[in-house]
Amino acid sequence: MLLCLILGGCMVGPDYRRPAVETPRSWRFAEKEARDVVNTPWWEQFDDPVLVELIGVALRENRELLIASARVEEFRGRYGVARSPLFPQLGAGASAGRKRSTERGQVPLSATARNPADLFNVSLFASWEIDFWGRYRRGAEAARADLLGTEEGRRSVIVSLVTSVAGAYVNLRDLDRQLEIARRTADTREESYRIFTLRFQGGLISELELSQVKSEYEQALATIPAIEKAIAQQEDALSVLLGRNPGPIRRGNPIDGLTLPAVPAGLPSELLESRPDIRQAEQELISANAQIGVARARYFPRISLTGLFGWESTNLSGLFSGPARTWSWAAPITQPVFTGGAIAGQVETAEAFREEALLRYRQAIQSAFRDVEDALVDQKRTREQLQAQARQVEALRAYARTARLRYDNGYTSYIEVLDAEQSLFTAELGYVQTQGGLFQALINLYKAMGGGWVVAAEKMTLPAAGGGGSR
């Protein structure tokens, strides 16, 4: 106990203390209706079993997440290596051999010496470098922080993966809805073009009106391949997130059938404990801080204890007899005297690296504050935009119906009808895109806030009984 107290008191290098960080007291754009739901699997609020299944598959089979998990195991092994010098190193050895010595050497062999001779050896040896200055303890502290930082890095991958899958799925359903609108519009315009072709053939309309109708029909047709291409590319991207080869993705509810998740709430200071990237940056700071102690400990003497006990004999039968016993012990001390500035350079490097880690930690916090503020204002203003666009779509539908009636009754030209239908088509596509943007804004808000949902997602990374999900 006394030795432990002495060793603990002699540890060189600064002890870690979390640096003071200025945090805002509240969010500028927080809503009063916000609810604290960041500790639950928020993707279940979409009320789409397919989305829940896809996220579960991704958490078990995504390649990037599997790489992150393997990296955690790598640093777990590194931590074990870094801790090992804190304990005595024990070993054993044995050898058996036969050797012939020269009889013409400077030292003549005894007449009774056996030549060639057998030699047998069995030994136990131990060594322990007393960590008087805390070099290895600081190294273990740094390795532990690296391990914890890698675990937080894995959680950051989980955060990115869940939000990416949810965002990709919402975007896919958004594109599906746009494709429905484009095909419906194309079918309507195809019918109009067929009727106007018959009217032109009957001499009831001019070629100018027919060309206008055909132009609008072709414009709707041209929209369809672009959306279909985007759908295929989105399916391929989502397939890769699921750890699969590119291919089709099973659908669940349409975008109109998805439920908007609740707006999460929380205080700015809670980000320090809820965001994995901030916790990872702090662990990197802890590691860098400990490395200063490792570097400074090189200035001081290294004290080791070594010992050997064994038996050595030229006769196997007498190997373990008393006369064959051999032992030794030593306590070497080494002290750097002149290193040409090498140790000073290592200390300077460690201190500079700690300063870099401190700045990265504070930068990560500021970036997190910005992410949340941006996501809050995004969902708030996008919600307002969507409501305005919904009113615009209703107004344009009424305009299109009125324009059609006025044309059928001979009060206006077909140009007015084309203008109304084109405006309605554009507005409907814009509404669906904004609808998908609102879902994405809420997904980004959960990503920015972090929270207990990351722990819930982490538990889902374990392989499911019976294998992964199906398409």
Side-chain angles (χ1 to χ4, degrees):
M1 184 181 297
L2 180 60
L3 179 61
C4 291
L5 291 174
I6 294 175
L7 292 179
C10 293
M11 233 173 33
V12 298
D15 293 328
Y16 175 76
R17 291 181 178 84
R18 175 179 284 183
V21 178
E22 183 180 356
T23 61
R25 295 183 178 180
S26 61
W27 304 113
R28 289 192 301 156
F29 300 98
E31 295 187 356
K32 295 181 179 179
E33 307 83 41
R35 292 162 47 194
D36 187 11
V37 291
V38 294
N39 294 327
T40 59
W42 50 266
W43 53 92
E44 296 178 356
Q45 298 181 48
F46 283 84
D47 197 23
D48 190 330
V50 173
L51 174 59
V52 175
E53 177 189 349
L54 293 178
I55 289 177
V57 172
L59 288 171
R60 294 189 299 271
E61 302 179 13
N62 177 264
R63 297 296 182 263
E64 185 175 355
L65 182 54
L66 293 175
I67 292 173
S69 299
R71 186 169 175 80
V72 171
E73 295 304 315
E74 172 193 346
F75 276 79
R76 197 182 307 279
R78 291 188 182 187
Y79 175 52
V81 172
R83 291 179 69 246
S84 63
L86 296 173
F87 305 96
Q89 308 296 301
L90 305 176
S95 66
R98 187 173 179 82
K99 178 181 179 182
R100 187 185 189 285
S101 300
T102 178
E103 298 177 1
R104 303 292 184 181
Q106 293 180 351
V107 180
L109 291 177
S110 170
T112 59
R114 298 176 59 184
N115 191 29
D118 297 326
L119 183 64
F120 302 93
N121 176 280
V122 175
S123 61
L124 301 173
F125 50 87
S127 65
W128 182 34
E129 181 177 336
I130 302 176
D131 193 28
F132 195 75
W133 312 108
R135 176 186 179 188
Y136 293 120
R137 278 169 290 161
R138 290 299 190 191
E141 180 184 346
R144 181 178 183 274
D146 290 338
L147 170 60
L148 295 178
T150 308
E151 291 177 342
E152 296 300 340
R154 178 178 182 272
R155 294 188 181 99
S156 294
V157 174
I158 291 175
V159 170
S160 178
L161 177 61
V162 171
T163 53
S164 295
V165 171
Y169 182 78
V170 167
N171 191 37
L172 184 61
R173 301 308 282 142
D174 184 348
L175 291 170
D176 289 339
R177 179 63 178 145
Q178 292 182 46
L179 184 60
E180 292 176 8
I181 294 172
R183 286 175 173 171
R184 184 193 66 207
T185 302
D187 291 342
T188 301
R189 292 180 180 178
E190 181 183 21
E191 179 63 18
S192 297
Y193 177 58
R194 186 185 68 80
I195 294 174
F196 272 69
T197 300
L198 294 176
R199 288 182 177 181
F200 172 73
Q201 293 173 351
L204 300 178
I205 61 172
S206 66
E207 186 176 359
L208 175 62
E209 289 181 295
L210 180 63
S211 298
Q212 290 173 334
V213 174
K214 182 179 180 181
S215 174
E216 293 298 313
Y217 170 52
E218 296 295 344
Q219 189 271 339
L221 286 180
T223 305
I224 293 175
I227 299 176
E228 289 177 334
K229 178 181 70 174
I231 288 175
Q233 292 174 340
Q234 188 65 71
E235 285 184 320
D236 291 345
L238 187 50
S239 296
V240 173
L241 288 174
L242 300 178
R244 301 170 174 170
N245 292 327
I249 297 295
R250 188 163 69 90
R251 277 29 168 211
N253 296 333
I255 192 168
D256 294 334
L258 298 179
T259 303
L260 283 171
V263 180
L267 297 175
S269 58
E270 294 174 357
L271 282 187
L272 301 180
E273 303 297 337
S274 61
R275 289 224 351 178
D277 59 334
I278 294 179
R279 295 201 300 264
Q280 182 180 12
E282 184 177 15
Q283 292 300 329
E284 291 174 354
L285 176 58
I286 294 173
S287 175
N289 188 78
Q291 289 294 347
I292 296 177
V294 174
R296 288 181 181 174
R298 292 187 172 94
Y299 279 119
F300 299 95
R302 298 178 62 176
I303 305 173
S304 302
L305 298 177
T306 62
L308 180 143
F309 180 84
W311 295 267
E312 185 174 290
S313 173
T314 58
N315 192 332
L316 182 59
S317 61
L319 177 61
F320 294 103
S321 63
R325 187 168 61 241
T326 179
W327 57 265
S328 68
W329 65 269
I333 300 177
T334 58
Q335 167 66 52
V337 176
F338 177 75
T339 61
I343 297 178
Q346 290 171 339
V347 172
E348 184 179 356
T349 300
E351 290 174 343
F353 188 74
R354 180 195 179 279
E355 185 63 23
E356 293 176 19
L358 175 59
L359 294 174
R360 284 195 296 267
Y361 173 63
R362 289 175 172 166
Q363 183 182 40
I365 293 175
Q366 288 183 337
S367 297
F369 290 154
R370 176 187 173 181
D371 291 343
V372 176
E373 290 281 15
D374 288 350
L376 283 168
V377 69
D378 187 9
Q379 66 86 25
K380 184 178 180 64
R381 301 310 180 200
T382 303
R383 200 184 296 269
E384 296 172 357
Q385 178 185 356
L386 187 64
Q387 294 170 352
Q389 286 182 308
R391 295 191 295 269
Q392 180 191 26
V393 169
E394 289 302 319
L396 287 173
R397 285 174 180 166
Y399 172 40
R401 288 193 299 268
T402 302
R404 175 69 68 173
L405 288 174
R406 284 168 56 83
Y407 173 76
D408 290 341
N409 288 279
Y411 290 107
T412 186
S413 67
Y414 197 70
I415 295 179
E416 183 176 339
V417 177
L418 293 177
D419 177 70
E421 291 183 347
Q422 177 61 34
S423 297
L424 177 59
F425 179 49
T426 302
E428 286 180 330
L429 291 179
Y431 174 82
V432 174
Q433 292 171 355
T434 304
Q435 189 178 25
L438 178 56
F439 279 102
Q440 189 63 59
L442 288 167
I443 291 172
N444 289 338
L445 182 54
Y446 277 96
K447 178 180 181 180
M449 293 290 289
W453 70 265
V454 183
V455 178
E458 189 174 21
K459 294 178 180 178
M460 296 173 61
T461 60
L462 299 175
S470 60
R471 283 193 178 89

